mmCIF file of all heavy atoms in Angstrom:
data_model
loop_
_atom_site.group_PDB
_atom_site.id
_atom_site.type_symbol
_atom_site.label_atom_id
_atom_site.label_comp_id
_atom_site.label_asym_id
_atom_site.label_seq_id
_atom_site.Cartn_x
_atom_site.Cartn_y
_atom_site.Cartn_z
ATOM 1 N N THR L 100 19.683 -36.924 25.890
ATOM 2 C CA THR L 100 19.615 -36.626 27.379
ATOM 3 C C THR L 100 20.369 -35.520 27.819
ATOM 4 O O THR L 100 20.142 -34.668 28.467
ATOM 5 C CB THR L 100 19.619 -37.860 28.158
ATOM 6 O OG1 THR L 100 18.602 -38.725 27.746
ATOM 7 C CG2 THR L 100 19.470 -37.591 29.673
ATOM 8 N N ASP L 101 21.651 -35.623 27.290
ATOM 9 C CA ASP L 101 22.756 -34.626 27.718
ATOM 10 C C ASP L 101 22.423 -33.287 27.129
ATOM 11 O O ASP L 101 22.636 -32.222 27.718
ATOM 12 C CB ASP L 101 24.159 -35.081 27.129
ATOM 13 C CG ASP L 101 24.755 -36.248 27.822
ATOM 14 O OD1 ASP L 101 24.162 -36.616 28.901
ATOM 15 O OD2 ASP L 101 25.705 -36.883 27.280
ATOM 16 N N LEU L 102 21.832 -33.121 25.942
ATOM 17 C CA LEU L 102 21.600 -31.935 25.218
ATOM 18 C C LEU L 102 20.464 -31.221 25.537
ATOM 19 O O LEU L 102 20.253 -30.001 25.515
ATOM 20 C CB LEU L 102 21.755 -32.028 23.736
ATOM 21 C CG LEU L 102 23.099 -32.672 23.243
ATOM 22 C CD1 LEU L 102 23.047 -32.900 21.652
ATOM 23 C CD2 LEU L 102 24.144 -31.622 23.537
ATOM 24 N N LEU L 103 19.373 -31.927 25.841
ATOM 25 C CA LEU L 103 18.145 -31.403 26.115
ATOM 26 C C LEU L 103 17.946 -30.788 27.425
ATOM 27 O O LEU L 103 18.552 -31.203 28.410
ATOM 28 C CB LEU L 103 16.859 -32.392 25.875
ATOM 29 C CG LEU L 103 16.702 -32.890 24.469
ATOM 30 C CD1 LEU L 103 15.760 -34.095 24.488
ATOM 31 C CD2 LEU L 103 16.155 -31.850 23.574
ATOM 32 N N PRO L 104 17.140 -29.574 27.643
ATOM 33 C CA PRO L 104 16.907 -29.105 29.001
ATOM 34 C C PRO L 104 16.057 -30.283 29.819
ATOM 35 O O PRO L 104 15.401 -30.976 29.219
ATOM 36 C CB PRO L 104 15.969 -27.945 28.761
ATOM 37 C CG PRO L 104 16.025 -27.690 27.234
ATOM 38 C CD PRO L 104 16.539 -28.916 26.597
ATOM 39 N N PRO L 105 16.390 -30.286 31.097
ATOM 40 C CA PRO L 105 15.763 -31.354 31.857
ATOM 41 C C PRO L 105 14.136 -31.367 31.695
ATOM 42 O O PRO L 105 13.702 -32.632 31.691
ATOM 43 C CB PRO L 105 16.160 -31.134 33.319
ATOM 44 C CG PRO L 105 17.366 -30.231 33.187
ATOM 45 C CD PRO L 105 17.253 -29.535 31.839
ATOM 46 N N ALA L 106 13.486 -30.479 31.566
ATOM 47 C CA ALA L 106 12.085 -30.547 31.405
ATOM 48 C C ALA L 106 11.685 -31.068 30.046
ATOM 49 O O ALA L 106 10.545 -31.450 29.898
ATOM 50 C CB ALA L 106 11.468 -29.043 31.564
ATOM 51 N N SER L 107 12.562 -31.106 29.139
ATOM 52 C CA SER L 107 12.257 -31.562 27.789
ATOM 53 C C SER L 107 12.763 -32.955 27.451
ATOM 54 O O SER L 107 12.468 -33.529 26.288
ATOM 55 C CB SER L 107 12.755 -30.608 26.653
ATOM 56 O OG SER L 107 12.267 -29.439 26.898
ATOM 57 N N VAL L 108 13.373 -33.605 28.372
ATOM 58 C CA VAL L 108 14.006 -34.858 28.157
ATOM 59 C C VAL L 108 13.002 -35.981 27.757
ATOM 60 O O VAL L 108 13.145 -36.673 26.879
ATOM 61 C CB VAL L 108 14.860 -35.408 29.231
ATOM 62 C CG1 VAL L 108 15.388 -36.735 29.099
ATOM 63 C CG2 VAL L 108 16.132 -34.483 29.395
ATOM 64 N N GLY L 109 11.917 -36.027 28.478
ATOM 65 C CA GLY L 109 10.863 -37.033 28.259
ATOM 66 C C GLY L 109 10.279 -36.902 26.849
ATOM 67 O O GLY L 109 10.154 -37.876 26.055
ATOM 68 N N ALA L 110 9.871 -35.612 26.524
ATOM 69 C CA ALA L 110 9.316 -35.548 25.188
ATOM 70 C C ALA L 110 10.426 -35.732 24.137
ATOM 71 O O ALA L 110 9.966 -36.256 22.969
ATOM 72 C CB ALA L 110 8.799 -34.042 25.106
ATOM 73 N N GLY L 111 11.563 -35.334 24.276
ATOM 74 C CA GLY L 111 12.584 -35.552 23.344
ATOM 75 C C GLY L 111 13.002 -36.937 22.996
ATOM 76 O O GLY L 111 13.055 -37.413 21.986
ATOM 77 N N LEU L 112 12.956 -37.732 24.163
ATOM 78 C CA LEU L 112 13.270 -39.145 23.916
ATOM 79 C C LEU L 112 12.169 -39.950 23.239
ATOM 80 O O LEU L 112 12.282 -40.824 22.516
ATOM 81 C CB LEU L 112 13.659 -39.909 25.380
ATOM 82 C CG LEU L 112 14.873 -39.425 25.924
ATOM 83 C CD1 LEU L 112 15.002 -40.115 27.336
ATOM 84 C CD2 LEU L 112 15.978 -39.872 24.984
#
Side-chain angles (χ1 to χ4, degrees):
T100 301
D101 290 346
L102 296 176
L103 292 170
S107 301
V108 170
L112 291 177

